[in-house]
Amino acid sequence: MSEASSQKVVIVGAGPAGIRAAATLIEAGLHPVVIDEGHRAGGQIYRRPPDGFVRTPGQLYGSEAAKARALHACFDKLVEAGRLTYFARSSVIAVHDRRLHVLEEGCLHVIGYDRLILATGASDRIAPVPGWQNAGVYSLGAAQIALKAQGVALGRRIVLIGSGPLLTLVGAQLLKAGAAVTAVLDTSSWRRQMRGFPGLAARPIVALRGLALRARLGGRYHAGVTVECIEADASCVTAMRWRDPGGRQRITPCDTVGMGWHLRAETHLADLVGCAFAYDEQWQQWLPQTDAMGRAGNGVYLAGDGARLIGADGAEIAGRLAAMACLTDLGHAASPVQADLRKLARLKRFACGLACAFPWPAEMVRTMPDDAIVCRCENITAAAVRDGADFGGGEANRVKSLSRAGMGRCQGRYCHLAAVELVAAQSGCASRDVGRFRGQAPVRPAPVGAFLRED
Amino acid sequence: MNTGRIVRLAERDRVEVQFFLDGEMRYALAGDTVLTAMLAPGHALRKSEFGPEPRAGFCLMGACQDCWVWQEAGPRLRACSTPVTGGMRLRTTAPESWP
Ligand code: FES
């Protein structure tokens, strides 16, 4: 065995980035380990339904069907040929000393690595809206997963709110499948969306496809709205209250609200493994730092939406590049990467256009009512976070320990950005100046029993 | 027959699976997650421990942990990422034996 192939490379995540990284390593003769939370590889965008479901890739993935099919086939073939070791339904909950602590079916085991490729993806970027703690409020991603992986709608009358490509896409997909979507409310105005145009022009076909989807929403789509609150009775959501751009109050009855403001990179493991983070003005969130290939230092590589929010096509390229960087560092001959880097740069221009067109609703969060819930895990209010900032000063982690926002079961995934925004507003500074919540293991809750049984 | 939150739009020709929800027998389809199975006849998965409102999941991707539900015996499970299996006995509230 050569020196390089005796090195253990572990990939976390089997979406587009993770799969392409694995394939690239295998082509060079390595046998990587792939750990993924899904029941089947594919990630979120190319998520596969359980066995026995019959919709075709065309029905499931629309214009992206060929890519989805190719990616799934690539991974399945490698697994079948025994070219990689695959842990499905497994969550990495901690990293320490080049060892991953992996939770699989309630049991904890440890997997060591020499090199680590993190392809952990992204999830919806959530801004709290008064009433969002009620049953029947979901992320936009959830609505899409329900449709793709289960063939269901999460309610009988659905309103979608937020901003970003997913807002339009989920709306169009639900309508096409026969769900009752009654309104799609975009907090970004048409004028603001036009500001993204120069970047969006980097992928004219994708941009046009987005507009075509938007057209399918017809009069349900409203740009530049102000969302006010989600009304609910004792059992579930009953209506969405909002204002149109002219300031008129509107009430749309519904039993379900899907919400999301574009995406948030999933960075907990990058944090635990010691990656440097910087506040990214463009994306209005903290992101881990890498070189152009995805090197984060210390034998760690980042690829896909978990590092930069450039979407599935970009994730495939970034996965390949991260694997090539890893191979080069292991002493393999370097492969040409210029073409991939160029493609990635174009995708990044497009992604920046999206970020500009569909911004984080900072003002809405800064002015949210005191009694509105910020942390959905433990029903912590905006007032509690503001009090924390008054008492502890404008530093995110101090407010976290004072208010408990960010310490609930989701580990701050859905309140972090809003809590930080509130702390900044209360202290009269910019979001970047109050820092970010530090990640803490376990990054997924683990049953106590799992620690007792640890091998 | 279906009066709950979930509306089945596709993949309706799967075999039925029997399970129990708060002691009552219910039917789901093979391949359903526990979340789908519970919200097809029902409206919520559990009560919030921190407020008056019931909860019905949020992210469906194993990230928010809003969907933990009780089993009559044994540990809780994450409804959005656990497939329903025949004979499962699920509850929307904690079992009496819970301390
Ligand atoms: S709904 Fe978020 S973890 Fe299940």
Side-chain angles (χ1 to χ4, degrees):
Chain A
M1 213 183 244
S2 74
E3 207 256 306
S5 56
S6 68
Q7 292 267 328
K8 189 165 174 186
V9 183
V10 176
I11 300 166
V12 181
I19 292 176
R20 287 300 169 212
T24 307
L25 295 174
I26 290 164
E27 247 168 64
L30 270 66
H31 181 105
V33 175
V34 177
I35 305 170
D36 185 57
E37 292 191 324
H39 286 246
R40 304 174 74 190
Q44 297 303 341
I45 284 297
Y46 301 137
R47 178 185 274 264
R48 283 189 275 187
D51 284 325
F53 282 55
V54 295
R55 281 168 300 167
T56 61
Q59 288 168 303
L60 286 169
Y61 312 111
S63 61
E64 308 304 291
K67 291 176 198 162
R69 210 186 276 128
L71 209 61
H72 295 152
C74 165
F75 192 78
D76 293 351
K77 239 193 327 217
L78 295 172
V79 173
E80 230 162 77
R83 304 289 301 274
L84 55 83
T85 304
Y86 173 39
F87 294 94
R89 276 170 290 156
S90 298
S91 303
V92 177
I93 61 166
V95 198
H96 186 61
D97 235 1
R98 301 213 169 201
R99 288 148 58 89
L100 304 171
H101 297 253
V102 181
L103 187 64
E104 183 186 8
E105 308 271 329
C107 290
L108 206 52
H109 54 113
V110 173
I111 298 175
Y113 66 85
D114 298 301
R115 309 265 160 177
L116 178 65
I117 299 179
L118 294 176
T120 45
S123 62
D124 299 84
R125 179 166 61 174
I126 296 295
V129 171
W132 74 302
Q133 71 274 19
N134 287 290
V137 181
Y138 293 94
S139 68
L140 290 172
Q144 195 184 42
I145 289 167
L147 184 59
K148 247 184 234 176
Q150 296 277 283
V152 305
L154 289 169
R156 293 167 186 280
R157 277 179 82 101
I158 304 172
V159 170
L160 304 178
I161 64 173
S163 200
L166 205 54
L167 181 71
T168 298
L169 180 64
V170 172
Q173 286 174 333
L174 282 171
L175 278 174
K176 187 166 177 219
V181 177
T182 50
V184 178
L185 308 177
D186 197 329
T187 55
S188 180
S189 64
W190 281 111
R191 176 185 294 187
R192 175 73 202 210
Q193 293 182 38
M194 288 308 290
R195 277 175 48 190
F197 186 75
L200 297 176
R203 302 180 79 186
I205 296 177
V206 181
L208 284 175
R209 211 179 273 147
L211 282 175
L213 287 174
R214 178 78 59 80
R216 282 202 218 151
L217 302 176
R220 297 176 186 85
Y221 178 81
H222 301 266
V225 310
T226 308
V227 294
E228 287 198 324
C229 73
I230 298 165
E231 296 182 345
D233 61 17
S235 71
C236 87
V237 169
T238 55
M240 180 73 220
R241 215 163 72 200
W242 53 288
R243 281 181 195 278
D244 63 23
R248 274 181 303 274
Q249 192 180 66
R250 309 270 296 260
I251 295 177
T252 309
C254 58
D255 63 3
T256 302
V257 173
M259 68 193 302
W261 279 263
H262 210 2
L263 297 175
R264 176 200 64 91
E266 173 56 51
T267 57
H268 278 67
L269 292 177
D271 198 0
L272 291 190
V273 86
C275 293
F277 279 69
Y279 187 81
D280 191 306
E281 287 296 346
Q282 185 97 50
W283 286 102
Q284 295 166 289
Q285 56 190 289
W286 291 81
L287 292 173
Q289 300 301 293
T290 67
D291 73 1
M293 298 287 291
R295 280 186 192 87
N298 246 334
V300 177
Y301 308 81
L302 309 180
D305 281 355
R308 288 290 171 276
L309 297 151
I310 41 178
D313 295 349
E316 287 196 48
I317 299 172
R320 205 156 52 218
L321 288 173
M324 286 188 202
C326 174
L327 287 167
T328 313
D329 297 347
L330 287 172
H332 284 242
S335 335
V337 294
Q338 288 316 317
D340 267 349
L341 285 173
R342 261 199 312 275
K343 257 188 259 167
L344 204 57
R346 186 167 61 90
L347 296 180
K348 269 186 193 155
R349 272 205 311 283
F350 179 78
C352 288
L354 286 179
C356 175
F358 306 111
W360 164 250
E363 226 10 68
M364 175 184 101
V365 174
R366 285 177 171 242
T367 54
M368 69 191 277
D370 261 343
D371 60 351
I373 304 290
V374 178
C375 153
R376 203 177 186 268
C377 295
E378 300 193 0
N379 283 12
I380 293 159
T381 60
V385 175
R386 288 179 176 130
D387 286 349
D390 284 342
F391 188 77
E395 201 280 311
N397 287 290
R398 218 154 33 220
V399 178
K400 175 178 170 182
S401 48
L402 284 168
S403 68
R404 281 198 62 82
M407 292 168 88
R409 284 186 287 217
C410 84
Q411 295 267 31
R413 283 181 177 81
Y414 295 107
C415 72
H416 176 191
L417 289 165
V420 166
E421 194 71 62
L422 279 173
V423 173
Q426 196 70 0
S427 327
C429 56
S431 186
R432 66 178 309 152
D433 298 327
V434 299
R436 64 191 178 93
F437 291 168
R438 274 184 297 273
Q440 229 146 32
V443 300
R444 293 272 193 253
V448 179
F451 291 100
L452 302 177
R453 282 193 298 271
E454 185 172 1
D455 52 44
Chain B
M1 162 210 146
N2 180 344
T3 54
R5 160 170 296 288
I6 291 260
V7 184
R8 295 189 186 276
L9 300 170
E11 314 277 7
R12 279 170 289 214
D13 298 324
R14 286 174 279 145
V15 279
E16 280 190 341
V17 177
Q18 211 180 73
F19 72 104
F20 295 88
L21 182 54
D22 293 328
E24 274 179 52
M25 198 203 287
R26 302 284 189 180
Y27 290 94
L29 300 179
D32 277 359
T33 61
V34 167
L35 185 139
T36 302
M38 285 178 75
L39 295 182
H43 286 271
L45 300 171
R46 66 179 183 101
K47 277 254 175 314
S48 160
E49 324 69 322
F50 298 93
E53 76 287 346
R55 295 295 181 99
F58 181 71
C59 74
L60 266 68
M61 56 186 281
C64 75
Q65 322 300 334
D66 191 50
C67 66
W68 286 89
V69 298
W70 301 93
Q71 301 182 81
E72 264 169 37
R76 284 185 294 170
L77 51 80
R78 199 163 63 195
C80 73
S81 38
T82 309
V84 70
T85 51
M88 238 177 198
R89 305 188 74 96
L90 303 163
R91 305 180 49 113
T92 52
T93 53
E96 263 91 78
S97 60
W98 192 254

